[in-house]
Amino acid sequence: MDAAERLEFYTIDDIYNLPEGQRAELMDGELYMMATPGTIHQRLVMVLSNRIFNYIQSKKGGCEVFPSPFAVFLNADNETYVEPDVSVVCDKDKITEKGCNGAPDWVIEVVSPQSRPMDYNKKLFKYRTAGVREYWIVDHERNLITAYDFEHDDMTDHAFSEKVPAGIFEDFEIDFCGIDIG
């Protein structure tokens, strides 16, 4: 069903008018409500954000890392708004008080049971077409990290027992074996 066939077409204003505490994402005018993430999900987001932040700081890099909730106006329009679990933005001009206006350089989504179809399908397409350079899907239940390097048209799968190299940084990898998520 396309936007013309839907009864309602949502915009960023609808996101801002949600009841306090309610989170949603918006893709092509369609609203997707978000569930509260679980403990393992939040631990993974925190550890990944911290490791990336520490790497950037150690290199005195210009990129910034933002854990969710962080607003990403993916297409810099009024019809698409996402809150990736981890966003790495290297272009300071994209960062505003409201979030990121355009595609982050690196996005990580930590899969929750209810987010699986969105993370593996819809977001994969949206991130790639919007200009995200690298996209990781971290799926604890499947013991799988799928890393998409869109710049080199490459996709690799890794187990939680492996080190996963970051494509946007030449000398950085995350050792998932060393992550204690309880």
Side-chain angles (χ1 to χ4, degrees):
M1 170 182 329
D2 66 22
E5 296 172 313
R6 284 197 312 267
L7 295 177
E8 299 211 41
F9 187 83
Y10 297 96
T11 67
I12 297 296
D13 290 337
D14 295 301
I15 292 286
Y16 290 136
N17 289 322
L18 289 170
E20 183 72 29
Q22 178 65 58
R23 292 176 51 213
E25 293 181 308
L26 179 68
M27 290 188 222
D28 301 321
E30 192 167 342
L31 204 58
Y32 298 90
M33 303 314 282
M34 297 171 68
T36 302
T39 303
I40 291 175
H41 180 279
Q42 289 303 90
R43 284 182 182 142
L44 281 166
V45 169
M46 197 65 174
V47 168
L48 295 171
S49 297
N50 282 335
R51 292 201 178 165
I52 297 166
F53 175 82
N54 290 337
Y55 168 81
I56 293 169
Q57 291 297 303
S58 74
K59 296 294 184 176
K60 298 183 179 19
C63 301
E64 289 189 65
V65 60
F66 298 95
S68 63
F70 179 69
V72 173
F73 305 91
L74 197 56
N75 299 323
D77 63 18
N78 199 31
E79 301 168 7
T80 303
Y81 167 98
V82 292
E83 291 184 5
D85 291 317
V86 180
S87 299
V88 178
V89 183
C90 299
D91 181 350
K92 302 275 188 198
D93 292 337
K94 289 182 178 181
I95 301 170
T96 69
E97 243 340 275
K98 291 187 175 189
C100 178
N101 201 14
D105 293 88
W106 182 11
V107 168
I108 300 174
E109 292 288 3
V110 177
V111 175
S112 298
Q114 55 277 47
S115 74
R116 184 167 275 113
M118 181 72 78
D119 294 338
Y120 278 100
N121 299 303
K122 194 165 200 75
K123 285 186 177 180
L124 171 62
F125 174 76
K126 294 303 281 181
Y127 291 150
R128 182 179 194 124
T129 58
V132 170
R133 294 167 52 200
E134 185 166 359
Y135 175 42
W136 287 13
I137 302 171
V138 177
D139 194 332
H140 178 259
E141 284 186 13
R142 292 183 177 166
N143 186 35
L144 182 69
I145 300 101
T146 303
Y148 292 93
D149 179 348
F150 295 137
E151 288 185 314
H152 300 100
D153 200 28
D154 189 37
M155 185 276 294
T156 55
D157 286 329
H158 304 270
F160 266 71
S161 60
E162 298 178 48
K163 294 179 180 178
V164 182
I168 70 166
F169 301 122
E170 288 183 21
D171 61 344
F172 178 62
E173 60 188 13
I174 295 178
D175 183 357
F176 277 81
C177 186
I179 298 177
D180 179 19
I181 53 175

